[in-house]
Amino acid sequence: EVRAVDGISFEIQSGELVGFLGPNGAGKSTTIKILTGLLVPSGGEVQVNGCVPWRERRRYVARIGAVFGQRTTLWWDLPVIESLDLLKHIYQIPAEQYRRNLAEFRELLQLDAFLNTPVRSLSLGQRMRAELCAALLHDPRLVFLDEPTIGLDVVAKERIRQFIQHIHRQRGATIVLITHDLADVERLCSRVIILDVGRILYD
């Protein structure tokens, strides 16, 4: 039996930007998958914004944003803009909010060069910028970012860091950031939680 997450306990306050650190296999992604409602834990209690993520999944996920660096939420064969338009309907985003957010994110993430390009044809850096836009169009107050800068070049990393900083400062979003890049942590996080073998070593 492997205890991927072993009796950990923590609280995150509204408006915090918290870094989750630890080696591969430490339990970081498992913790985030539980917090986003993707996994059901075998024991313990989890409450996020008054919800139990896996029990009230539809209501809960409508109010959070999530980016998993290794997986895409965009439609592989569609141009980026069509994926974003689909998400507008899925999240039932009012037209004016969608227009305003898309305009802001297009500028901040410099999306215009590839908005009409199928997702399968994007570079990794372009895809991650599109993923961030998609995850935040509906104005979530809580955002989970699982290695959003993994495998990116220096310029792409910096652009994504600036965007995360903007969302945190200007919109007051609560952000949980999993990363192996200590430069992400130094630049962005006011608090870090270090995990190993499923336990919290440092908070």
Side-chain angles (χ1 to χ4, degrees), residues 76-103:
W76 202 239
D77 293 313
L78 292 183
V80 172
I81 190 63
E82 291 188 25
S83 281
L84 299 179
D85 284 343
L86 272 172
L87 288 167
K88 172 182 182 285
H89 295 289
I90 289 170
Y91 283 102
Q92 299 179 337
I93 305 169
E96 177 55 29
Q97 178 185 332
Y98 175 77
R99 186 199 62 74
R100 185 177 64 248
N101 282 344
L102 183 58

Side-chain angles (χ1 to χ4, degrees), residues 4 34 48 57 59 64 78-79 98 104 128 151 156 179 188-189:
I34 290 169
V48 187
R57 189 145 181 247
R59 183 166 74 93
I64 68 169
L78 292 183
Y98 175 77
E104 181 181 354
M128 288 311 302
T179 183
L188 298 170
C189 300

Side-chain angles (χ1 to χ4, degrees), residues 25 31 39 69 74 82-83 97 99 111 117 130 143 146 154 170-171 185 195:
T31 301
L39 285 180
L74 302 167
E82 291 188 25
S83 281
Q97 178 185 332
R99 186 199 62 74
L111 302 177
T117 303
V143 182
D146 190 350
V154 174
Q170 301 300 317
R171 297 185 173 219
V185 176
L195 287 84

